Amino acid sequence: MKRFTNKTVLITGGSSGMGLATARRLLDEGAYVAISGRDQARLDAARKELDVVDDRVLAVRADVASTADLDMLMRRVETWRGTLDAVFANAGVGVFKPSAEITEADFDHVVDTNLKGVFFTVQKAVPLMRSGGAVVINASWTLHRGLPVASLYSATKAAAHNLARTLGSDLARCGIRVNSVSPGYIDTRMWRENNTDSGAEARDSAEVALGSLGHPAEIASAVAFLASDDAAYITGQDLVVDGGLVGSVPAA
């Protein structure tokens, strides 16, 4: 399928994991893709890994927690392509501790990226977006089910999905749809950094009805659907992509 031929998509947090997998998927479908991230070396590596010989990838170092960086990012995209057809607000961070151990610095770091960053990414992208455009926000399965060490992270992801609903209403007048995607346990750098014990994969897989961790490419497929015209009558919704983690009990 070539649902994104000559369309322009911005992906924040695009240098690894779900963001990079989505960039690869949309490039395969014909898109021009701008990726952003905080680490220039990782961005350079991602640009090389995408292995696009033409000018269909723009990589920009930007921190979504900084509105000045977001302004610069949008200027770069506008200079490059003029307009945007879709945004995947994917950049996110996690601090996983019992609530009693959360510090003010932890709070500011997570909220600034996962809530402030998402809100202002969308706000600043909208002037570049055409009618018929789409925004997809990366939420999390943890907004649907409690996890004891994820109080702060889960709260920001619940807020991220609430933005999908409220901005879906607000931006409908502009012809822009807004939805969120809620990944389950996905085999990404963030998951591995927060699950370093040898039994982590088996433990988490045992909670999933389909019996395994998910892969970034599986999230990319869901994002591509929500960002495409195939989802033209869908807005304000959350698509849970979790192998049955939230809604199903694994077989014994």
Side-chain angles (χ1 to χ4, degrees), residues 164-187:
R165 289 189 290 175
T166 53
L167 293 175
S169 175
D170 184 20
L171 299 179
R173 58 190 167 79
C174 305
I176 296 170
R177 298 178 298 102
V178 188
N179 294 287
S180 63
V181 61
S182 281
Y185 290 131
I186 308 300
D187 189 0

Side-chain angles (χ1 to χ4, degrees), residues 67 71 74 117-128 167 171:
T67 56
D71 286 335
M74 300 310 164
V118 169
F119 180 87
F120 283 106
T121 294
V122 179
Q123 183 201 69
K124 293 176 181 298
V126 164
L128 299 183
L167 293 175
L171 299 179

Side-chain angles (χ1 to χ4, degrees), residues 38 90-96 109-111 113-114 153 156-157 190:
R38 293 178 298 176
N90 168 67
V93 295
V95 171
F96 299 96
H109 176 54
V110 176
V111 172
T113 300
N114 294 3
Y153 177 79
T156 61
K157 291 302 186 175
M190 180 185 288

Side-chain angles (χ1 to χ4, degrees), residues 76-90:
R76 291 284 304 276
V77 172
E78 184 175 22
T79 299
W80 180 52
R81 290 286 293 168
T83 59
L84 275 169
D85 296 284
V87 174
F88 181 28
N90 168 67

Side-chain angles (χ1 to χ4, degrees), residues 8-252:
T8 305
V9 182
L10 169 63
I11 301 172
T12 64
S15 61
S16 65
M18 291 175 273
L20 182 59
T22 302
R24 185 178 297 109
R25 172 62 182 262
L26 298 184
L27 285 166
D28 288 345
E29 292 203 36
Y32 288 74
V33 178
I35 59 173
S36 71
R38 293 178 298 176
D39 187 312
Q40 187 63 56
R42 289 174 63 181
L43 274 173
D44 292 343
R47 178 68 177 78
K48 184 176 180 180
E49 184 176 335
L50 290 170
D51 193 27
V52 177
V53 296
D54 53 23
D55 65 345
R56 288 196 298 127
V57 176
L58 174 70
V60 181
R61 198 216 68 78
D63 183 350
V64 299
S66 163
T67 56
D69 277 15
L70 287 172
D71 286 335
M72 175 274 296
L73 174 60
M74 300 310 164
R75 288 195 299 271
R76 291 284 304 276
V77 172
E78 184 175 22
T79 299
W80 180 52
R81 290 286 293 168
T83 59
L84 275 169
D85 296 284
V87 174
F88 181 28
N90 168 67
V93 295
V95 171
F96 299 96
K97 302 176 181 178
S99 58
E101 298 177 14
I102 296 291
T103 66
E104 184 176 5
D106 292 333
F107 187 95
D108 290 345
H109 176 54
V110 176
V111 172
D112 281 354
T113 300
N114 294 3
L115 178 54
K116 175 187 173 184
V118 169
F119 180 87
F120 283 106
T121 294
V122 179
Q123 183 201 69
K124 293 176 181 298
V126 164
L128 299 183
M129 296 188 72
R130 307 177 185 184
S131 178
V135 174
V136 182
I137 296 170
N138 199 346
S140 168
W141 71 273
T142 60
L143 73 90
H144 299 283
R145 180 179 168 193
L147 185 67
V149 295
S151 58
L152 177 58
Y153 177 79
S154 300
T156 61
K157 291 302 186 175
H161 170 57
N162 188 270
L163 285 178
R165 289 189 290 175
T166 53
L167 293 175
S169 175
D170 184 20
L171 299 179
R173 58 190 167 79
C174 305
I176 296 170
R177 298 178 298 102
V178 188
N179 294 287
S180 63
V181 61
S182 281
Y185 290 131
I186 308 300
D187 189 0
T188 63
R189 178 174 177 170
M190 180 185 288
W191 183 88
R192 293 199 172 272
E193 286 175 347
N194 287 283
N195 294 275
T196 56
D197 57 291
S198 60
E201 184 170 349
R203 181 193 65 233
D204 285 355
S205 295
E207 295 184 39
V208 178
L210 292 182
S212 65
L213 303 183
H215 298 286
E218 292 163 328
I219 305 304
S221 295
V223 174
F225 165 68
L226 289 172
S228 76
D229 290 342
D230 287 345
Y233 200 55
I234 301 174
T235 198
Q237 303 301 309
D238 183 56
L239 178 55
V240 182
V241 187
D242 69 345
L245 174 63
V246 170
S248 300
V249 176

